[in-house]
Amino acid sequence: MTRQKKGQPNKASQKISHVDNTSGTAQRARLLERLHISPIDTFTAIRELNIVRPGARINELRGLGHKILTHRLTLTDDQGRAHRGMALYYLSTNPPAEVAA
């Protein structure tokens, strides 16, 4: 085993995916980037974007002037349980098909 010298970055740490960055800034950036592509629900934001409290990040983005709307729906979690009133977030310029109709 070799010892790492002080002040030198660990090579493995340089390959960390951006979803491993849990700072609020990084989470807001990931969420906003995704919202420009398509709507996202709470479970997907948690699972795919590593955002534990998507509602808080949405609130912060709204405070920064982004027009993000919420549609409430029933979603099924990974264990097959239904959850009523879950959020589907979307930019006002990119509504989901079920809301636009």
Side-chain angles (χ1 to χ4, degrees):
M1 177 184 248
T2 60
R3 293 184 61 179
Q4 179 180 342
K5 292 182 182 179
K6 263 189 170 177
Q8 290 183 342
N10 181 345
K11 288 182 184 178
S13 68
Q14 294 174 355
K15 296 182 181 182
I16 293 175
S17 171
H18 71 286
V19 295
D20 290 332
N21 185 341
T22 58
S23 72
T25 302
Q27 290 181 41
R28 286 188 297 275
R30 286 194 300 271
L31 189 51
L32 188 57
E33 181 181 337
R34 173 60 188 274
L35 286 168
H36 280 288
I37 297 168
S38 67
I40 188 166
D41 63 73
T42 302
F43 288 148
T44 304
I46 293 168
R47 186 177 55 251
E48 293 180 9
L49 301 181
N50 191 26
I51 299 173
V52 177
R53 294 185 57 221
R57 301 298 80 81
I58 290 293
N59 189 45
E60 293 163 357
L61 288 169
R62 287 175 177 151
L64 293 170
H66 297 281
K67 190 158 183 169
I68 301 169
L69 303 176
T70 304
H71 176 70
R72 297 291 176 178
L73 66 163
T74 300
L75 296 174
T76 304
D77 66 18
D78 294 337
Q79 290 75 38
R81 298 175 293 229
H83 296 265
R84 291 176 26 165
M86 297 300 292
L88 177 69
Y89 301 108
Y90 60 96
L91 291 172
S92 64
T93 58
N94 189 21
E98 61 194 44
V99 175

